[in-house]
Amino acid sequence: MDCLPAALERAGSEESWAVADAVSTVLKNSEELHSWRRHLLSACIKGLVAIYSSSKDESKPEVERSMLLRLEELLRVVEEVDPDDWCNLVKTGLKYRYRDETFLRVLNAAVQLLYKEESSLSQ
């Protein structure tokens, strides 16, 4: 469980995400679930940054789309993100995917969620 988030950060690790989903299911009623989801959120963001940086064009749209949907889902549950991770995602995403409709939709939803008045990022 400790090594899995690092494996998730690498581009193209769909099999590892299946394992992460299984761990999340096992932790469903556990106190560790929120902490685990925060690790998954960070790994998802870092994975997207790695994908965007390594493939300037959209060479893996299905992988990117599934990662973006996972990011959106995790953001809704965790409702907080590391500011450095967030900055890297926004910067890299806007640099390489500024025309990608799914990226822009998820980015908009994330901004709405993260920058509401109660959020630590809004300050």
Side-chain angles (χ1 to χ4, degrees):
M1 218 169 101
D2 295 333
C3 299
L4 189 56
L8 296 172
E9 293 173 14
R10 290 187 296 255
S13 61
E14 295 84 28
E15 300 83 16
S16 298
W17 279 104
V19 174
D21 290 340
V23 171
S24 295
T25 302
V26 169
L27 294 175
K28 189 173 186 177
N29 296 322
S30 170
E31 294 176 8
E32 296 178 48
L33 182 61
H34 186 72
S35 175
W36 173 247
R37 286 179 173 160
R38 287 181 61 202
H39 289 299
L40 291 181
L41 177 60
S42 179
C44 185
I45 290 172
K46 290 175 182 173
L48 279 167
V49 169
I51 289 171
Y52 294 159
S53 298
S54 68
S55 59
K56 315 271 189 272
D57 59 337
E58 296 180 41
S59 60
K60 301 177 186 178
E62 67 285 339
V63 173
E64 289 181 27
R65 180 171 167 70
S66 70
M67 292 286 287
L68 284 166
L69 295 175
R70 183 177 299 277
L71 172 68
E72 186 175 21
E73 176 186 329
L74 286 168
L75 280 171
R76 290 190 192 288
V77 174
V78 177
E79 293 188 345
E80 60 184 281
V81 65
D82 179 82
D84 291 334
D85 289 347
W86 176 246
C87 182
N88 286 335
L89 175 66
V90 172
K91 182 176 142 185
T92 308
L94 289 175
K95 183 174 182 180
Y96 298 115
R97 297 300 187 267
Y98 63 92
R99 292 183 183 177
D100 182 276
E101 183 180 330
T102 305
F103 170 75
L104 294 174
R105 184 186 55 75
V106 171
L107 180 64
N108 184 40
V111 166
Q112 298 298 319
L113 180 70
L114 294 173
Y115 289 93
K116 60 186 178 186
E117 285 191 30
E118 306 89 53
S119 173
S120 62
L121 281 178
S122 68
Q123 299 169 5

